[in-house]
Amino acid sequence: MKKPKYQLIVDFIKEKISIGEWAIGSQIPSQRNLAKLFEVNRSTVITALEELMAEGLIEGRAGKGTVVTNNTWTLMGNQLSTNWNENVSLGIHKPSVSTVQEINEAESNNNLIQLGKGELSPDMFPLEEMKSIVQKVSNQLTSFGYEKPKGNIKLRQAISDYLKVRGINASPSSILVVSGALQALHLISIGLLKKGSTVFLEVPSYLYSLTVFQSMGMDLKGVPMDSKGLMIDSIYQTKEKGKNILYTIPTFHNPTGILMEEKRREELIEYCVREQLPVIEDDVYRDLWIDNPPPEPLKAMDFHGNVLYLGSLSKTLSPGLRIGWIVGTESVINRLADLKMQLDYGSSTLSQLVAAEWLSSDLYDLHVGNVREKLCIRRRTALDALDKYLGLYATWEIPKGGFFIWIRIKSPFKVKRLFEKALAKGILINPGSIYAEHSGQFIRISYGFASLDNIKKGIFELSEIIKNQ
């Protein structure tokens, strides 16, 4: 006999509780999400939840939704089960804000039009070349163990050669291989900065969507930008040296797409050296220029070891390789290498060898050249659609590279409502609020991932939502 639909929901929740996946104190999915999951109406979900409440397994709590209060064992006996959820908030690392968590979850949904995703479309992935390189590396493999603390020497030499073309002279001993630029930030936060330090950064900034520095007890202090980049005169330091640092994305800034001009870079380096303000330069978008090559990195102008330079293959080749690097003075790199060994004992040897093959051959430069041509087409497609559909409702600047267009939605339509309505229509955008844009009127659109048709369709649907408010 076929079970009623509400009973399927009851059985599903009971199984989650009984096998320990939903521990006591866990918040269960909302009625809306359960209705969507089981393709039923809300009344069916309510019937299921009322039965579980009657059995004493769940209860509704003000401000927390519906939570698990018991399991089979606690109902049978007098002993209380361990409530792991009491420990969830005890860890030192802060959780992502709810909107960021929602975006992270939605980015894995292939049914959505991904207008927020900051990575290359699968149709730009060099599959045949990657297969060839992986096969070449595999044929050369012997048994392999842990790598050196700073990373595979062949890869570090390839990175050194790659950086020299871009104006940075860095020997392999001053390079640390990391599992993406995000790990680099984590290592810096736990290894180089004091609790109570101030991290200056552009506002808005991608870094605000993370909790890397705040979790270590540091404050983020926004510095405004203009069309030429970060406004140096707005950096106000405290008297105490050694407690401040500057984080910047000077090349195709995330989320605004702004390219810091050369003169501003020179002035920034001069200021930071004079004021003894260390710099973290996040340069992961450098190779994604469209119109013209960008000015040299800040690191190329650094003759005092003042700049920690971050690079990565995640934006240009493949995020799945999890290969990035930090360049700095050897004492700093030695410190961070020791911390990385304590955390994960080194990045994947196979990924490092594959990355070394890409960087030490002509294939990488050929690939990024192809990527730039396709990004040019994608940018044009996005800008044409914006002009056609959103010209009455928004303003924006044309980025010279990278993935992103920073769009200001004209009042009175609120971006929070746009984000929610767009997601309900199958379109994912990134609201400016996650980057500390407090006016609430900005969104970040990416032209890097969605298909050309979906870019046009997504922007059209956004205009329809605004038009029919």
Side-chain angles (χ1 to χ4, degrees):
M1 182 177 175
K2 190 175 180 181
K3 289 184 178 181
K5 289 183 176 179
Y6 86 90
Q7 190 62 48
L8 296 175
I9 301 173
V10 169
D11 293 346
F12 168 77
I13 294 175
K14 279 186 174 180
E15 182 181 10
K16 287 287 189 180
I17 295 172
S18 66
I19 65 177
E21 288 189 3
W22 291 357
I24 293 173
S26 297
Q27 182 176 341
I28 71 170
S30 67
Q31 292 179 15
R32 179 171 62 87
N33 287 339
L34 285 170
K36 186 176 180 181
L37 178 64
F38 286 92
E39 298 181 339
V40 297
N41 57 42
R42 292 275 286 275
S43 62
T44 303
V45 174
I46 291 170
T47 300
L49 297 182
E50 286 177 344
E51 179 168 316
L52 291 163
M53 287 179 183
E55 293 184 28
L57 292 172
I58 63 174
E59 70 178 34
R61 290 183 179 172
K64 292 188 176 181
T66 304
V67 299
V68 178
T69 52
N70 282 296
N71 57 31
T72 305
W73 296 106
T74 59
L75 290 174
M76 289 178 63
N78 295 323
Q79 288 189 328
L80 293 174
S81 176
T82 300
N83 183 355
W84 275 104
N85 288 280
E86 291 180 353
N87 296 71
V88 168
S89 61
L90 299 181
I92 191 171
H93 210 285
K94 298 177 183 293
S96 302
V97 297
S98 58
T99 304
V100 173
Q101 291 186 35
E102 189 173 6
I103 290 170
N104 290 341
E105 182 71 25
E107 282 188 339
S108 62
N109 186 344
N110 293 328
N111 295 320
L112 296 178
I113 295 177
Q114 299 284 352
L115 287 187
K117 211 165 189 175
E119 63 182 87
L120 294 176
S121 169
D123 66 16
M124 285 188 270
F125 181 68
L127 182 59
E128 294 306 315
E129 292 88 343
M130 184 64 82
K131 284 181 179 179
S132 175
I133 285 179
V134 170
Q135 185 63 56
K136 179 181 178 181
V137 168
S138 299
N139 290 339
Q140 296 172 352
L141 280 181
T142 57
S143 60
F144 53 90
Y146 297 116
E147 287 288 353
K148 293 181 178 181
K150 293 181 184 179
N152 179 272
I153 185 59
K154 183 179 178 182
L155 175 55
R156 285 187 286 130
Q157 183 60 61
I159 293 169
S160 175
D161 295 339
Y162 160 89
L163 291 174
K164 190 170 292 184
V165 176
R166 287 149 183 84
I168 298 173
N169 290 310
S171 63
S173 60
S174 65
I175 296 170
L176 171 64
V177 176
V178 289
S179 299
L182 184 54
Q183 186 182 53
L185 294 174
H186 179 63
L187 291 172
I188 292 167
S189 72
I190 64 175
L192 300 180
L193 304 179
K194 302 174 184 176
K195 186 176 182 179
S197 296
T198 296
V199 180
F200 292 101
L201 71 167
E202 294 103 345
V203 58
S205 174
Y206 158 76
L207 195 62
Y208 279 103
S209 69
L210 309 173
T211 60
V212 178
F213 291 105
Q214 302 96 309
S215 294
M216 296 300 111
M218 296 154 205
D219 298 320
L220 301 186
K221 189 168 183 180
V223 180
M225 308 172 72
D226 60 18
S227 61
K228 299 176 182 179
L230 180 147
M231 297 172 69
I232 302 165
D233 292 344
S234 298
I235 303 174
Y236 297 108
Q237 290 201 77
T238 58
K239 295 292 183 183
E240 186 177 355
K241 302 292 184 184
K243 288 199 70 174
N244 301 329
I245 195 166
L246 171 67
Y247 169 85
T248 181
I249 312 173
T251 304
F252 313 130
H253 176 264
N254 183 3
T256 67
I258 289 173
L259 176 64
M260 187 184 292
E261 65 167 18
E262 186 172 4
K263 187 172 186 296
R264 184 70 59 88
R265 293 173 189 241
E266 293 169 354
E267 292 169 348
L268 180 59
I269 282 293
E270 182 183 343
Y271 172 87
C272 291
V273 169
R274 184 177 70 246
E275 297 298 322
Q276 299 177 42
L277 179 64
V279 179
I280 303 169
E281 180 181 12
D282 192 336
D283 207 26
V284 298
Y285 301 102
R286 164 159 296 274
D287 288 340
L288 300 177
W289 56 269
I290 296 175
D291 299 323
N292 295 293
E296 285 190 336
L298 298 173
K299 186 63 180 172
M301 310 174 195
D302 175 32
F303 305 108
H304 300 84
N306 206 51
V307 177
L308 276 177
Y309 181 85
L310 313 185
S312 171
L313 294 181
S314 295
K315 303 302 180 185
T316 56
L317 181 58
S318 170
L321 280 178
R322 305 310 305 136
I323 293 295
W325 49 86
I326 311 175
V327 180
T329 60
E330 288 191 22
S331 59
V332 168
I333 294 301
N334 290 341
R335 163 69 168 154
L336 298 179
D338 174 61
L339 290 174
K340 179 168 169 60
M341 291 298 282
Q342 293 183 52
L343 288 175
D344 63 13
Y345 235 71
S347 299
S348 160
T349 296
L350 188 58
S351 287
Q352 291 189 67
L353 292 173
V354 168
E357 285 294 329
W358 271 102
L359 289 177
S360 59
S361 69
D362 293 333
L363 286 177
Y364 178 78
D365 287 333
L366 289 171
H367 165 67
V368 292
N370 181 54
V371 166
R372 286 195 289 266
E373 289 178 6
K374 291 185 175 180
L375 285 179
C376 184
I377 296 169
R378 290 170 158 273
R379 182 185 65 173
R380 183 71 266 156
T381 299
L383 291 170
D384 286 347
L386 288 170
D387 286 334
K388 184 175 181 180
Y389 301 121
L390 276 177
L392 293 175
Y393 312 111
T395 58
W396 57 88
E397 298 295 329
I398 299 174
K400 297 177 181 178
F403 297 137
F404 309 122
I405 304 175
W406 187 236
I407 301 172
R408 180 182 177 276
I409 304 297
K410 296 178 182 178
S411 296
F413 199 91
K414 295 299 180 186
V415 164
K416 187 176 189 302
R417 193 157 76 248
L418 180 60
F419 170 76
E420 293 166 351
K421 290 195 171 188
L423 191 57
K425 281 200 162 195
I427 303 159
L428 184 62
I429 57 175
N430 284 17
S433 58
I434 67 174
Y435 307 114
E437 174 42 66
H438 298 300
S439 75
Q441 289 304 114
F442 286 82
I443 61 173
R444 190 195 77 178
I445 290 289
S446 168
Y447 49 82
F449 188 84
S451 68
L452 296 179
D453 285 342
N454 277 344
I455 290 172
K456 289 183 279 191
K457 180 181 177 183
I459 292 172
F460 168 74
E461 291 293 348
L462 292 179
S463 72
E464 288 294 296
I465 293 170
I466 296 173
K467 188 190 304 181
N468 299 317
Q469 61 177 310

Short mmCIF file of all heavy atoms in Angstrom, two decimals, residues 315-354:
data_model
loop_
_atom_site.label_atom_id
_atom_site.label_comp_id
_atom_site.label_asym_id
_atom_site.label_seq_id
_atom_site.Cartn_x
_atom_site.Cartn_y
_atom_site.Cartn_z
N LYS A 315 41.32 30.96 -11.05
CA LYS A 315 40.50 31.83 -11.89
C LYS A 315 40.83 31.68 -13.37
O LYS A 315 39.99 31.96 -14.23
CB LYS A 315 40.69 33.30 -11.49
CG LYS A 315 40.38 33.58 -10.04
CD LYS A 315 38.95 33.19 -9.66
CE LYS A 315 38.64 33.47 -8.21
NZ LYS A 315 37.29 32.99 -7.83
N THR A 316 42.03 31.25 -13.68
CA THR A 316 42.46 31.21 -15.08
C THR A 316 42.46 29.82 -15.70
O THR A 316 42.33 29.68 -16.91
CB THR A 316 43.89 31.77 -15.21
OG1 THR A 316 44.76 31.02 -14.33
CG2 THR A 316 43.94 33.23 -14.82
N LEU A 317 42.60 28.79 -14.87
CA LEU A 317 42.73 27.44 -15.40
C LEU A 317 41.68 26.51 -14.81
O LEU A 317 40.77 26.06 -15.50
CB LEU A 317 44.13 26.90 -15.14
CG LEU A 317 44.44 25.49 -15.66
CD1 LEU A 317 44.22 25.42 -17.17
CD2 LEU A 317 45.87 25.09 -15.30
N SER A 318 41.81 26.21 -13.50
CA SER A 318 40.86 25.28 -12.87
C SER A 318 40.87 25.45 -11.36
O SER A 318 41.91 25.28 -10.72
CB SER A 318 41.24 23.84 -13.20
OG SER A 318 40.48 22.94 -12.42
N PRO A 319 39.70 25.75 -10.76
CA PRO A 319 39.65 25.82 -9.30
C PRO A 319 39.86 24.46 -8.66
O PRO A 319 40.26 24.36 -7.50
CB PRO A 319 38.24 26.37 -9.02
CG PRO A 319 37.45 26.07 -10.24
CD PRO A 319 38.42 26.11 -11.39
N GLY A 320 39.59 23.39 -9.43
CA GLY A 320 39.72 22.05 -8.89
C GLY A 320 41.15 21.63 -8.60
O GLY A 320 41.38 20.71 -7.81
N LEU A 321 42.13 22.27 -9.23
CA LEU A 321 43.53 21.94 -8.94
C LEU A 321 43.92 22.36 -7.52
O LEU A 321 44.80 21.76 -6.91
CB LEU A 321 44.47 22.63 -9.93
CG LEU A 321 44.66 22.01 -11.30
CD1 LEU A 321 45.57 22.88 -12.15
CD2 LEU A 321 45.22 20.60 -11.19
N ARG A 322 43.27 23.42 -7.00
CA ARG A 322 43.58 23.98 -5.68
C ARG A 322 45.05 24.34 -5.57
O ARG A 322 45.76 23.92 -4.64
CB ARG A 322 43.19 23.03 -4.54
CG ARG A 322 41.76 22.55 -4.53
CD ARG A 322 40.73 23.66 -4.65
NE ARG A 322 40.86 24.69 -3.63
CZ ARG A 322 40.78 26.00 -3.88
NH1 ARG A 322 40.59 26.44 -5.12
NH2 ARG A 322 40.89 26.86 -2.92
N ILE A 323 45.53 25.12 -6.53
CA ILE A 323 46.92 25.55 -6.54
C ILE A 323 47.00 27.08 -6.57
O ILE A 323 46.45 27.73 -7.46
CB ILE A 323 47.69 24.99 -7.76
CG1 ILE A 323 47.82 23.47 -7.65
CG2 ILE A 323 49.07 25.63 -7.89
CD1 ILE A 323 48.68 22.98 -6.49
N GLY A 324 47.67 27.62 -5.56
CA GLY A 324 47.96 29.04 -5.51
C GLY A 324 49.34 29.23 -4.92
O GLY A 324 50.06 28.26 -4.65
N TRP A 325 49.75 30.49 -4.70
CA TRP A 325 51.08 30.73 -4.14
C TRP A 325 51.13 32.05 -3.38
O TRP A 325 50.32 32.95 -3.60
CB TRP A 325 52.14 30.73 -5.24
CG TRP A 325 51.82 31.59 -6.43
CD1 TRP A 325 52.06 32.93 -6.60
CD2 TRP A 325 51.19 31.16 -7.65
NE1 TRP A 325 51.63 33.36 -7.82
CE2 TRP A 325 51.08 32.30 -8.50
CE3 TRP A 325 50.70 29.93 -8.11
CZ2 TRP A 325 50.51 32.24 -9.76
CZ3 TRP A 325 50.13 29.87 -9.37
CH2 TRP A 325 50.04 31.00 -10.19
N ILE A 326 52.05 32.10 -2.46
CA ILE A 326 52.39 33.33 -1.74
C ILE A 326 53.85 33.63 -2.03
O ILE A 326 54.70 32.74 -1.97
CB ILE A 326 52.24 33.18 -0.21
CG1 ILE A 326 50.90 32.56 0.17
CG2 ILE A 326 52.42 34.53 0.48
CD1 ILE A 326 50.77 32.28 1.66
N VAL A 327 54.14 34.91 -2.33
CA VAL A 327 55.51 35.37 -2.53
C VAL A 327 55.82 36.40 -1.45
O VAL A 327 55.04 37.33 -1.23
CB VAL A 327 55.71 36.00 -3.93
CG1 VAL A 327 57.15 36.47 -4.11
CG2 VAL A 327 55.32 35.00 -5.01
N GLY A 328 56.96 36.23 -0.78
CA GLY A 328 57.34 37.18 0.27
C GLY A 328 58.78 36.99 0.67
O GLY A 328 59.52 36.21 0.05
N THR A 329 59.19 37.69 1.71
CA THR A 329 60.55 37.49 2.21
C THR A 329 60.69 36.06 2.72
O THR A 329 59.71 35.45 3.18
CB THR A 329 60.86 38.48 3.34
OG1 THR A 329 59.93 38.27 4.41
CG2 THR A 329 60.75 39.92 2.87
N GLU A 330 61.91 35.54 2.68
CA GLU A 330 62.11 34.13 3.04
C GLU A 330 61.72 33.84 4.48
O GLU A 330 61.18 32.76 4.78
CB GLU A 330 63.56 33.72 2.77
CG GLU A 330 63.87 33.61 1.29
CD GLU A 330 65.20 32.95 1.01
OE1 GLU A 330 65.71 32.22 1.89
OE2 GLU A 330 65.75 33.17 -0.09
N SER A 331 61.96 34.76 5.40
CA SER A 331 61.60 34.51 6.79
C SER A 331 60.09 34.36 6.95
O SER A 331 59.61 33.48 7.69
CB SER A 331 62.11 35.65 7.69
OG SER A 331 61.55 36.90 7.29
N VAL A 332 59.33 35.19 6.24
CA VAL A 332 57.87 35.09 6.29
C VAL A 332 57.39 33.81 5.63
O VAL A 332 56.53 33.09 6.15
CB VAL A 332 57.23 36.32 5.61
CG1 VAL A 332 55.74 36.11 5.40
CG2 VAL A 332 57.46 37.57 6.47
N ILE A 333 57.96 33.48 4.47
CA ILE A 333 57.57 32.26 3.76
C ILE A 333 57.92 31.02 4.60
O ILE A 333 57.13 30.06 4.66
CB ILE A 333 58.25 32.19 2.38
CG1 ILE A 333 57.72 33.32 1.48
CG2 ILE A 333 58.03 30.84 1.72
CD1 ILE A 333 56.21 33.30 1.26
N ASN A 334 59.05 31.04 5.28
CA ASN A 334 59.41 29.92 6.15
C ASN A 334 58.39 29.74 7.27
O ASN A 334 58.00 28.62 7.62
CB ASN A 334 60.80 30.14 6.77
CG ASN A 334 61.91 30.03 5.75
OD1 ASN A 334 61.72 29.45 4.67
ND2 ASN A 334 63.07 30.58 6.06
N ARG A 335 57.96 30.85 7.85
CA ARG A 335 56.96 30.81 8.92
C ARG A 335 55.64 30.23 8.41
O ARG A 335 55.04 29.34 9.03
CB ARG A 335 56.74 32.23 9.47
CG ARG A 335 55.48 32.45 10.29
CD ARG A 335 55.50 31.73 11.61
NE ARG A 335 54.41 32.19 12.46
CZ ARG A 335 53.87 31.45 13.41
NH1 ARG A 335 54.32 30.24 13.66
NH2 ARG A 335 52.89 31.94 14.16
N LEU A 336 55.18 30.71 7.25
CA LEU A 336 53.91 30.25 6.70
C LEU A 336 54.00 28.80 6.22
O LEU A 336 53.02 28.05 6.33
CB LEU A 336 53.47 31.17 5.55
CG LEU A 336 53.21 32.63 5.93
CD1 LEU A 336 52.79 33.43 4.70
CD2 LEU A 336 52.15 32.74 7.02
N ALA A 337 55.16 28.41 5.72
CA ALA A 337 55.35 27.02 5.29
C ALA A 337 55.24 26.06 6.48
O ALA A 337 54.65 24.98 6.39
CB ALA A 337 56.71 26.86 4.61
N ASP A 338 55.80 26.48 7.62
CA ASP A 338 55.70 25.65 8.82
C ASP A 338 54.24 25.50 9.25
O ASP A 338 53.79 24.40 9.61
CB ASP A 338 56.51 26.28 9.96
CG ASP A 338 56.32 25.55 11.28
OD1 ASP A 338 56.64 24.37 11.35
OD2 ASP A 338 55.82 26.19 12.24
N LEU A 339 53.49 26.60 9.20
CA LEU A 339 52.08 26.53 9.56
C LEU A 339 51.29 25.65 8.60
O LEU A 339 50.41 24.88 9.03
CB LEU A 339 51.47 27.94 9.57
CG LEU A 339 51.93 28.86 10.70
CD1 LEU A 339 51.36 30.25 10.50
CD2 LEU A 339 51.49 28.31 12.06
N LYS A 340 51.59 25.75 7.31
CA LYS A 340 50.88 24.92 6.34
C LYS A 340 51.15 23.44 6.60
O LYS A 340 50.24 22.61 6.51
CB LYS A 340 51.29 25.29 4.91
CG LYS A 340 50.58 24.42 3.86
CD LYS A 340 50.74 24.94 2.45
CE LYS A 340 50.28 23.91 1.43
NZ LYS A 340 48.87 23.53 1.58
N MET A 341 52.38 23.09 6.95
CA MET A 341 52.69 21.70 7.26
C MET A 341 51.88 21.22 8.46
O MET A 341 51.45 20.06 8.52
CB MET A 341 54.19 21.54 7.52
CG MET A 341 55.06 21.72 6.29
SD MET A 341 54.72 20.50 4.98
CE MET A 341 55.58 19.06 5.64
N GLN A 342 51.67 22.10 9.42
CA GLN A 342 50.88 21.72 10.58
C GLN A 342 49.40 21.54 10.22
O GLN A 342 48.70 20.74 10.85
CB GLN A 342 50.99 22.79 11.67
CG GLN A 342 52.37 22.91 12.29
CD GLN A 342 52.41 23.92 13.41
OE1 GLN A 342 51.60 23.87 14.32
NE2 GLN A 342 53.34 24.86 13.34
N LEU A 343 48.94 22.27 9.20
CA LEU A 343 47.54 22.19 8.81
C LEU A 343 47.23 21.01 7.91
O LEU A 343 46.26 20.28 8.14
CB LEU A 343 47.12 23.49 8.11
CG LEU A 343 46.98 24.74 8.98
CD1 LEU A 343 46.69 25.95 8.11
CD2 LEU A 343 45.86 24.55 10.00
N ASP A 344 48.04 20.81 6.85
CA ASP A 344 47.67 19.76 5.89
C ASP A 344 48.86 18.97 5.33
O ASP A 344 48.68 18.15 4.45
CB ASP A 344 46.86 20.35 4.74
CG ASP A 344 47.62 21.38 3.91
OD1 ASP A 344 48.86 21.48 4.06
OD2 ASP A 344 46.98 22.08 3.10
N TYR A 345 50.05 19.26 5.82
CA TYR A 345 51.27 18.57 5.37
C TYR A 345 51.50 18.69 3.87
O TYR A 345 52.07 17.81 3.24
CB TYR A 345 51.26 17.09 5.80
CG TYR A 345 52.51 16.75 6.60
CD1 TYR A 345 52.68 17.23 7.88
CD2 TYR A 345 53.52 15.97 6.04
CE1 TYR A 345 53.83 16.95 8.60
CE2 TYR A 345 54.67 15.69 6.74
CZ TYR A 345 54.82 16.19 8.03
OH TYR A 345 55.96 15.91 8.74
N GLY A 346 51.05 19.81 3.31
CA GLY A 346 51.38 20.09 1.91
C GLY A 346 50.24 19.85 0.95
O GLY A 346 49.40 18.98 1.16
N SER A 347 50.20 20.64 -0.13
CA SER A 347 49.18 20.49 -1.16
C SER A 347 49.43 19.22 -1.97
O SER A 347 50.55 18.66 -1.96
CB SER A 347 49.19 21.71 -2.09
OG SER A 347 48.89 22.89 -1.38
N SER A 348 48.42 18.77 -2.67
CA SER A 348 48.49 17.53 -3.44
C SER A 348 49.69 17.51 -4.39
O SER A 348 49.88 18.42 -5.18
CB SER A 348 47.20 17.38 -4.25
OG SER A 348 47.37 16.48 -5.32
N THR A 349 50.49 16.45 -4.29
CA THR A 349 51.64 16.30 -5.17
C THR A 349 51.20 16.23 -6.63
O THR A 349 51.80 16.85 -7.51
CB THR A 349 52.43 15.03 -4.81
OG1 THR A 349 52.97 15.19 -3.50
CG2 THR A 349 53.57 14.79 -5.79
N LEU A 350 50.14 15.47 -6.90
CA LEU A 350 49.67 15.32 -8.28
C LEU A 350 49.24 16.67 -8.86
O LEU A 350 49.61 17.01 -9.99
CB LEU A 350 48.51 14.32 -8.32
CG LEU A 350 48.04 13.91 -9.72
CD1 LEU A 350 49.18 13.29 -10.52
CD2 LEU A 350 46.87 12.94 -9.62
N SER A 351 48.49 17.45 -8.08
CA SER A 351 48.07 18.77 -8.56
C SER A 351 49.27 19.67 -8.81
O SER A 351 49.30 20.43 -9.79
CB SER A 351 47.14 19.43 -7.53
OG SER A 351 45.87 18.84 -7.53
N GLN A 352 50.26 19.60 -7.94
CA GLN A 352 51.45 20.44 -8.10
C GLN A 352 52.22 20.07 -9.36
O GLN A 352 52.69 20.95 -10.10
CB GLN A 352 52.35 20.32 -6.87
CG GLN A 352 51.77 20.95 -5.62
CD GLN A 352 52.77 21.01 -4.49
OE1 GLN A 352 53.77 21.74 -4.56
NE2 GLN A 352 52.52 20.25 -3.43
N LEU A 353 52.34 18.78 -9.65
CA LEU A 353 53.06 18.35 -10.83
C LEU A 353 52.31 18.75 -12.11
O LEU A 353 52.91 19.15 -13.11
CB LEU A 353 53.29 16.84 -10.80
CG LEU A 353 54.25 16.33 -9.71
CD1 LEU A 353 54.26 14.80 -9.67
CD2 LEU A 353 55.66 16.87 -9.95
N VAL A 354 50.98 18.64 -12.06
CA VAL A 354 50.17 19.06 -13.21
C VAL A 354 50.30 20.57 -13.43
O VAL A 354 50.50 21.04 -14.56
CB VAL A 354 48.69 18.66 -13.00
CG1 VAL A 354 47.79 19.34 -14.04
CG2 VAL A 354 48.53 17.15 -13.07
#
